[in-house]
Amino acid sequence: MSTAKTAEPTIYERRESEARSYCRSFPVSFARAQGATLTDADGNCYIDFLSGCSSLNYGHNDPDMKAALIEHVSTDGLAHALDLHTDEKAAFLETIETLILRPRGMDHKVMMTGPTGTNAVEAAIKLARKVTGRKNVISFTNGFHGMTLGALALTGNQGKRAGAGGVTLPDVTRMPFEGALGEDVDTLAVIETMLSNPSSGIEPAAAFVVELVQGEGGLNAASTEWVQGIARIARAHGALLIVDDIQAGMGRTGSFFSFDHMGVEPDMVTLAKSLSGFGLPFACVLVRPEHDIWKPAEHNGTFRGNTHAFVTARVALEKFWADDRLRNQIALKSQVLEERLHGIAARIDGARIKGRGMMRGIDVGSGELAGRICAEAFRRGLIIETSGAHDEVVKVLAPLTIPMEQFKQGLDVLEAAVDTLVPFPMAAE
Amino acid sequence: MSTAKTAEPTIYERRESEARSYCRSFPVSFARAQGATLTDADGNCYIDFLSGCSSLNYGHNDPDMKAALIEHVSTDGLAHALDLHTDEKAAFLETIETLILRPRGMDHKVMMTGPTGTNAVEAAIKLARKVTGRKNVISFTNGFHGMTLGALALTGNQGKRAGAGGVTLPDVTRMPFEGALGEDVDTLAVIETMLSNPSSGIEPAAAFVVELVQGEGGLNAASTEWVQGIARIARAHGALLIVDDIQAGMGRTGSFFSFDHMGVEPDMVTLAKSLSGFGLPFACVLVRPEHDIWKPAEHNGTFRGNTHAFVTARVALEKFWADDRLRNQIALKSQVLEERLHGIAARIDGARIKGRGMMRGIDVGSGELAGRICAEAFRRGLIIETSGAHDEVVKVLAPLTIPMEQFKQGLDVLEAAVDTLVPFPMAAE
Amino acid sequence: MSTAKTAEPTIYERRESEARSYCRSFPVSFARAQGATLTDADGNCYIDFLSGCSSLNYGHNDPDMKAALIEHVSTDGLAHALDLHTDEKAAFLETIETLILRPRGMDHKVMMTGPTGTNAVEAAIKLARKVTGRKNVISFTNGFHGMTLGALALTGNQGKRAGAGGVTLPDVTRMPFEGALGEDVDTLAVIETMLSNPSSGIEPAAAFVVELVQGEGGLNAASTEWVQGIARIARAHGALLIVDDIQAGMGRTGSFFSFDHMGVEPDMVTLAKSLSGFGLPFACVLVRPEHDIWKPAEHNGTFRGNTHAFVTARVALEKFWADDRLRNQIALKSQVLEERLHGIAARIDGARIKGRGMMRGIDVGSGELAGRICAEAFRRGLIIETSGAHDEVVKVLAPLTIPMEQFKQGLDVLEAAVDTLVPFPMAAE
Amino acid sequence: MSTAKTAEPTIYERRESEARSYCRSFPVSFARAQGATLTDADGNCYIDFLSGCSSLNYGHNDPDMKAALIEHVSTDGLAHALDLHTDEKAAFLETIETLILRPRGMDHKVMMTGPTGTNAVEAAIKLARKVTGRKNVISFTNGFHGMTLGALALTGNQGKRAGAGGVTLPDVTRMPFEGALGEDVDTLAVIETMLSNPSSGIEPAAAFVVELVQGEGGLNAASTEWVQGIARIARAHGALLIVDDIQAGMGRTGSFFSFDHMGVEPDMVTLAKSLSGFGLPFACVLVRPEHDIWKPAEHNGTFRGNTHAFVTARVALEKFWADDRLRNQIALKSQVLEERLHGIAARIDGARIKGRGMMRGIDVGSGELAGRICAEAFRRGLIIETSGAHDEVVKVLAPLTIPMEQFKQGLDVLEAAVDTLVPFPMAAE
């Protein structure tokens, strides 16, 4: 009888593409979400250390954004407006100008692209190529920038690239990220040497596209010195600097941008994921005005400028970035996180801490072990995923706004999961 | 004083990228929208014959979808869920299975891609290349499929292509759409001849990607015979048939799919725009199960499966596609539209009607005249845009649900705009 | 014993790559050659209707060129000189200027490329792209331009293209050659329509590369009207006209260039094959001076300007192109050839004559029959090969200088071979 | 009057393309050549330290090859034979089998390609891609492999690459040659690290294409250890090893192949330049039999298998490679060369010796100085050229067979030229 039951395919088996993935790791149906807590259809609660891959930095259904969105919908505010002017767009632009750009002396324009990170990346590299008249774009080992062909060319992961079915992904040159060649090799020197050699075979670059913390690539965090070096090399070689802050921005590493306080000013910045604040599809490219040479509609798209997202994004900026409270909270939680992860890592032979701010994790040495830790954590009520070229990093992406109590509770679960899986003697070594 | 005021740049001039476009044609700020009516910040009302470029086939803020969305948000339903299982996703899949796929005998799987049309197109061609082991994709003159590099390679418009900054857009072969070589040339024969010649230099095709009515390309509508011919040629040459129904689907041409009743069954169908029903970002690819060979996450994306859109899309399907009422309404309005457009076209020397169903327009012979007609219509309270390689087509994309009275009122405005601009003697010829 | 002998692999089986091909059709070892006669190691003589694929338009070992070459070698004339000045190079340039270019009012420069046709083609398209700043090159169905990647991209034959191992051959758009879409379709109109449509998806062209008679593609001969049309379309669209006269030039179609007397002046002409006159590797591009914007060595190569070939090429020009005698001979033989081929074709159901001048053949309807005819001809002492997308054309490429008697003798053999293979009743129909 | 005379353009100015280059450095007309001596039209003699860029390793007009060639031509031996069997081809294949391949245990097949180095390289990479089903080819900084698009993609020099007019040169990944990242960086480790990282973004490689001494790239000579490392990495990653021995082979570095005695066995070897022995255009690819999967004619070309070159190449092999005499001579002259170059380099601040065997030179620190040294040497009767990314290396490529007396005389001239240009005090430092 139970056999008969399992034989009947679920709606997902019947109708959802095999491309689905997260639902395979967390095979329950989620019904409600609030803050850092997810509740499944059976009423079980889970602590969310995944946060929509950093799309929910302010947690689920923040009450102020929720209220504003309900108000907007209730009063027949526009849901879809192409790139027409709306009061909501104006308010968003004014808020990001006032709270984010002007305080940093950034005169960047905001280009609303199709509401996905990959679209923002595509727009940025198209524009960089237009601006410079060059085609080659430098991207980095373990970088992840999206799945459409232009962004996929920048993405390092071989499995993702294979999804293109064998077409060449041209006009990109891969350079080593900081540390990618081992401790002994100065990657800045390698890059500088290669680009300065007129017989290196590397075409002049339109842009460098770089994540300051590689979210999918294993939480590799670049040092300030390295980031400055990249900025300097890019400028020296006439290339634009594009920071992909889709995963690392919006507070994830401690400040709004991952490059804050590093003394660099990117020519372009791509933003998505937590930009709407509420998990709604929304993306943009910040671009220096002198580079904003688009003709009208030269890069367009139906869903640019999601009006619902303008509403929630404005509230998010006003609520969290008008003062230092969130920044201080992140700093505090980052410390707690670092300490706890060190404690956990100490139990695993060869494990090491990676990342920065609230974007941290443990390289446990193998994807197999990392996967088992996450599965065990889920069994215990924690949603957490892996990252890295071999899926070898257990990655903590808790909401930045998670209450401290719940944060520690989640870390306790993680620690317990590790304890269960890593036999004591070995951990004790 | 007023001079001083105009000298101060607006927030859009200060901070929005030059890529913005529709707001240049309709330079007011919109505040509310309901059904086919847009209201600006000054309280002026406009009839919407643009419908978010066919993203609002059911009009703005449909009350049932609105209520369901507010209910969902109010009760902390998930806003963002990656591709996790949710009750809302299951309900959407079950509804599309019951109301759309099963009645047509379509066993297609639903692949939720990033919530933009271009992403759906990219996913489809990646998959077609994986499935066939071939790289070349056939697309058509005047086709529009998106702005990311893979989809842009399929897009014909030279201005859009130039946005890529000069990179080669490879692995695509362009074929003439029906009628593109003039009345005398049988484009099916041309295509068949080229593909059958082993020395034509055209690589074996992974897929044909075709719109049945070319929304951006000038409302060129393919005949049933031509569509069947394309399907036959594709199959004969081992290529998949991908119908891009992003703009022409969801009822726009009279039935849910533009290919309904044509006797063809595409291997894949890309959907976006009106799929959510409410104007929310949402896209998918329907793919025959035997082609659904994706590995988990091989094509992924943060905003796949917009949960808000699952809610509204399900309501849209239940409300409009459970019976024949909408279809009948569309048929009736299509007739009215055709008659009125013929009357208007008769006033313009050389003008001709284009398109199908509620996706029709008038080729007025020049982009200059079409632009002036739209500007005059806007002055009179109608939002309407152009299309075509030379922007020479005035395109009517009214909500399918527009009340008949208001629909005729809008057409009256269009007629009056033409009357104003086209001197009578010429029109009388 | 003979078994044992055949079991021992020959030197070719042991050491020559499987890529070898002609030797498979004519499996004897050739020892000497003079005029139109080849002699094998056993002393058997063969009439040469292949002429090194038109590399031996003046026959084998022309006595005057032979004497000049022996004199040059005997007196320690340079064999290899990179692109240094030599008396031989100067003499060649002066001769081609005096006898070929100046009489036609051509002020073209001579670019000595690597001594192969494919290298000349590569140089020409590189230069056209430099000159125009465009990347796309138009080539034609059934065109053959060489096997290196740039030239291969222009080549239509699927089997040859497959040799590239699956890499994309980009930056080329294929257009139909005259007649390629059937009798009813005006290919010039098709090309003009496609290039004039700004939404056709075809990038602006740097150049059109065209053979006036397609040697490998099946002896398709373009009409004067078509060639003028192509020249006009190219100019109208800002593209250079490159005539690939590698196989059809040097007298093969009746005059030195295949485009003589057609009223077109190509921007570039690629020459190779019979350019040296003696069968030595030698190639060049003729290029209008305003397009000769190469920097020194920007396209180089070790074997540019084969000094031995300068010697023989100069003699060939002086001997054959200082007056009208060869032209008259070709005209006469062309007539004979045409008449005889019509007679032969009449015996084969559906066969038709193709080509122009001394570059003619019979499309016998299938590669299988064409192959058997050539094999039977070889058995009877005639060396002749096939051409065409399906190898369906029996191609006569006799030396232009073949004595009339021997020419007729060769045609008799061909006729006899056909007679043997095509049963009379059918031929009589 | 003399002014009027110089105002009249020469035949080269009138008719030879601006691409010409060597003739700009050595602006005389050469009339005869014998051994290592070139004689100009005015009877002036020059010692040849250029040797046709290593195409004349046995000097000009070697008497035995000359006699054999004259005999061949005089007796109507074939000049052009496509890839038909000839007694001359058989004799060449048997000789290379007996004297070169079999003694080394190499079972490679010989693929005669179009008679230029670039064509051999194109054939090799096409075949490697066919064999492996992969597209990416690894090439190295400062590598030079030819000017047709496939080979140019492998070539590092930016100026040469620019000749392609801006097209993308795809499907190649550039890796650092030994020493290219400075003394401190282990390039093998860098390469191994990049290829082993599944998120490096580097596609699996079909082949590594490497010169063991980079002739154009500045005489960078790889160590045995590095070459073995490359061979090991290639094998470990499933890539074929292709040694481009076009310039460094045929004895230039001391033995027939540059990889002799290094303990590696390449999957393919490309040969050209001195392969004919006489300076005639001739090239081939040696390919392991298991990789020789070409279909007949899948890579073809009119001038494959230059019959004149078969004759001279066979004589060259018999005369120079049947015993150790040439090898011993080269060893002796290499020692002399090294000593003398050290002496000369010592006079130039910062200069250093580069290269291996008879392929050596001095990096004098700047292209400007190197150019002046060569010009001064020419003024004194020595033909010598530069190499390197900045043309900073004065390169000695004397014939391997140059009499010791003349060799020293040439080196004296070089030394005198340096003396003239480099003021003594500086040299004394």
Side-chain angles (χ1 to χ4, degrees), chain A residues 392-404:
Chain A
E392 75 282 10
V393 177
V394 176
K395 177 167 73 164
V396 178
L397 288 178
L400 308 179
T401 55
I402 188 172
M404 185 62 88

Side-chain angles (χ1 to χ4, degrees), chain D residues 275-294:
Chain D
L275 179 61
S276 81
F278 203 70
L280 304 180
F282 189 32
C284 73
V285 184
L286 305 180
V287 50
R288 282 200 179 152
E290 65 267 33
H291 301 321
D292 183 32
I293 63 169
W294 289 114

Side-chain angles (χ1 to χ4, degrees), chain A residues 139-146 154-158 160-161 174-181 209-221 244 247 352 354 363 387-393, chain D residues 193-194 196-202:
Chain A
S139 72
F140 292 88
T141 50
N142 293 49
F144 181 93
H145 303 281
L154 303 171
T155 293
N157 185 288
Q158 191 54 46
K160 305 294 187 207
R161 295 169 68 89
R174 193 75 39 179
M175 286 291 169
F177 195 78
E178 189 177 13
L181 299 176
V209 180
V210 65
E211 302 157 283
L212 269 48
V213 184
Q214 298 186 312
E216 298 305 303
L219 296 181
N220 309 302
D244 181 340
Q247 185 162 156
R352 61 196 179 105
K354 302 189 73 178
D363 177 346
S387 154
H390 301 276
D391 298 318
E392 75 282 10
V393 177
Chain D
T193 301
M194 291 293 274
S196 298
N197 176 355
S199 284
S200 70
I202 297 170

Side-chain angles (χ1 to χ4, degrees), chain D residues 340-370:
Chain D
R340 293 295 303 270
L341 290 182
H342 274 296
I344 297 170
R347 296 156 186 269
I348 305 167
D349 204 30
R352 60 196 180 105
I353 304 302
K354 303 189 73 179
R356 180 151 74 89
M358 291 280 279
M359 190 174 184
R360 306 209 74 157
I362 309 174
D363 176 346
V364 301
S366 85
E368 192 275 332
L369 178 56

Side-chain angles (χ1 to χ4, degrees), chain B residues 135 141-142 156-158 161 166-168 170-171 174 180-181 190 193-194 197-204 389-390, chain C residues 135 141-142 156-158 161 166-168 170-171 174 180-181 190 193-194 197-204 389-390:
Chain B
K135 291 176 300 175
T141 51
N142 293 48
N157 186 288
Q158 191 54 46
R161 295 170 68 88
V167 296
T168 290
D171 298 315
R174 193 75 39 179
L181 298 176
V190 166
T193 300
M194 292 293 274
N197 176 354
S199 284
S200 70
I202 296 171
E203 299 289 333
H390 302 275
Chain C
K135 291 176 300 177
T141 50
N142 293 49
N157 185 288
Q158 191 55 46
R161 295 170 67 88
V167 296
T168 290
D171 298 316
R174 193 75 39 179
L181 299 177
V190 166
T193 300
M194 292 294 274
N197 176 356
S199 284
S200 70
I202 296 171
E203 300 289 334
H390 302 276

Side-chain angles (χ1 to χ4, degrees), chain D residues 32 214 363 412 429:
Chain D
R32 294 188 309 284
Q214 297 187 312
D363 176 346
D412 291 343
E429 281 173 353

Side-chain angles (χ1 to χ4, degrees), chain B residues 133-396:
Chain B
R134 300 171 174 186
K135 291 176 300 175
N136 188 29
V137 172
I138 306 283
S139 73
F140 292 88
T141 51
N142 293 48
F144 181 93
H145 302 282
M147 302 298 269
T148 51
L149 288 191
L152 187 58
L154 303 172
T155 293
N157 186 288
Q158 191 54 46
K160 305 295 188 210
R161 295 170 68 88
V167 296
T168 290
L169 298 165
D171 298 315
V172 170
T173 298
R174 193 75 39 179
M175 287 291 171
F177 195 79
E178 188 176 14
L181 298 176
E183 295 302 303
D184 302 339
V185 180
D186 177 353
T187 52
L188 291 177
V190 166
I191 296 166
E192 175 61 36
T193 300
M194 292 293 274
L195 295 190
S196 298
N197 176 354
S199 284
S200 70
I202 296 171
E203 299 289 333
F208 285 52
V209 181
V210 65
E211 302 156 284
L212 269 48
V213 184
Q214 296 186 312
E216 298 306 301
L219 296 181
N220 309 303
S223 67
T224 296
E225 183 186 20
W226 192 82
V227 174
Q228 290 178 347
I230 291 296
R232 187 182 60 240
I233 294 171
R235 185 170 305 110
H237 291 275
L240 304 191
L241 176 64
I242 302 175
V243 171
D244 181 339
D245 233 11
I246 291 170
Q247 185 163 157
M250 279 69 69
R252 179 53 63 187
T253 63
S255 185
F256 189 80
F257 294 119
S258 69
F259 54 83
D260 281 339
H261 316 302
M262 281 194 167
V264 300
E265 193 186 357
D267 293 285
M268 298 189 208
V269 183
T270 55
L271 300 175
K273 289 194 181 271
S274 279
L275 180 62
S276 82
F278 203 70
L280 303 180
F282 188 32
C284 72
V285 183
L286 305 180
V287 50
R288 283 198 177 154
E290 65 267 32
H291 301 322
D292 183 32
I293 62 169
W294 289 115
K295 292 181 195 161
E298 203 172 24
H299 185 92
N300 65 9
T302 294
F303 293 118
R304 286 164 301 147
N306 181 349
T307 316
H308 287 189
F310 285 143
V311 172
T312 57
R314 175 189 51 76
V315 173
L317 293 175
E318 290 170 349
K319 178 170 179 179
F320 294 112
W321 299 103
D323 57 40
D324 282 345
R325 281 177 304 163
L326 180 63
R327 259 183 291 257
N328 293 341
Q329 271 189 49
I330 301 170
L332 190 59
K333 286 177 202 156
S334 295
Q335 265 187 306
V336 170
L337 178 58
E338 184 171 3
E339 281 166 29
R340 292 295 304 269
L341 291 183
H342 273 297
I344 297 170
R347 295 157 186 269
I348 304 166
D349 204 32
R352 61 196 179 104
I353 304 301
K354 303 189 73 179
R356 181 152 73 90
M358 291 279 281
M359 190 174 184
R360 306 208 73 158
I362 309 174
D363 176 346
V364 301
S366 85
E368 192 278 332
L369 177 56
R372 284 197 295 133
I373 290 169
C374 292
E376 176 64 21
F378 178 63
R379 218 183 48 81
R380 292 164 178 267
L382 178 71
I383 290 175
I384 187 166
E385 259 291 5
T386 62
S387 151
H390 302 275
D391 298 318
E392 75 283 9
V393 177
V394 176
K395 177 167 73 164
V396 179

